[in-house]
Amino acid sequence: DPIILEDLLQKRTYGKILVGIGLNESNYPHDEIESGFARLVEMIQTYQPDAIIILESIMTTTEKYSKNAWWLSRENLSAINEIIASFADDERVFYLDLNEWGAEEDGFLSPERTFDGVHLYGAGYKELAAWFVDACGRFGIK
């Protein structure tokens, strides 16, 4: 049976809800991403009015990998991340930019963190998780 998010949100109370989309979804038109996030955030707030919502950015790729398709470009991903960030109110909805952790000064994922230009090495996920907990602490989220 498929799991329906709306059903899950009605079955129990959540203190924190983490929302992220993957790189594959960066191929969608920006207006669809924006309207989808608007519906999603509204649904979560309707069924979980006391929950803290943490919106994650899409992590960029390495510079080499970003050349595989227009939608993998740093510019496209940055535009999508701006859309995602626009839903944060820093009261109940927060935005965490994973690229603060993973990107180099040029804005691309560090090639040392990935085996294929996109996915992190196993140790990288542990490092990212530690960074994530620390970053949530900046917002007073435990």
Side-chain angles (χ1 to χ4, degrees):
D1 289 338
I3 297 172
I4 308 298
L5 178 60
E6 192 170 12
D7 294 341
L8 289 175
L9 293 172
Q10 294 177 64
K11 286 183 180 178
R12 64 176 280 211
T13 300
Y14 297 93
K16 297 173 202 74
I17 298 174
L18 176 63
V19 177
I21 61 173
L23 190 60
N24 292 341
E25 285 71 38
S26 64
N27 192 22
Y28 287 87
H30 292 182
D31 61 331
E32 289 182 24
I33 292 171
E34 185 171 13
S35 64
F37 260 88
R39 287 190 311 273
L40 179 58
V41 169
E42 181 181 350
M43 180 194 314
I44 294 169
Q45 290 175 324
T46 297
Y47 294 114
Q48 299 288 323
D50 296 324
I52 292 172
I53 302 170
I54 303 166
L55 305 174
E56 282 185 345
S57 71
I58 297 176
M59 193 178 297
T60 189
T61 67
T62 60
E63 183 175 13
K64 180 179 177 183
Y65 194 88
S66 74
K67 296 176 182 176
N68 287 334
W70 68 268
W71 51 276
L72 299 169
S73 72
R74 187 182 60 207
E75 293 76 21
N76 184 55
L77 297 179
S78 292
I80 293 170
N81 287 336
E82 286 179 23
I83 291 167
I84 296 168
S86 73
F87 290 97
D89 62 14
D90 293 335
E91 291 179 21
R92 305 290 311 161
V93 182
F94 297 89
Y95 172 76
L96 285 181
D97 185 357
L98 303 181
N99 295 300
E100 288 179 21
W101 171 81
E104 296 182 314
E105 286 185 26
D106 62 4
F108 291 104
L109 178 63
S110 170
E112 289 78 34
R113 294 191 186 273
T114 177
F115 59 90
D116 63 358
V118 178
H119 302 96
L120 302 176
Y121 288 113
Y125 287 105
K126 285 180 70 174
E127 292 174 24
L128 178 59
W131 174 87
F132 187 86
V133 169
D134 183 61
C136 285
R138 290 184 288 184
F139 299 120
I141 301 170
K142 296 179 182 180

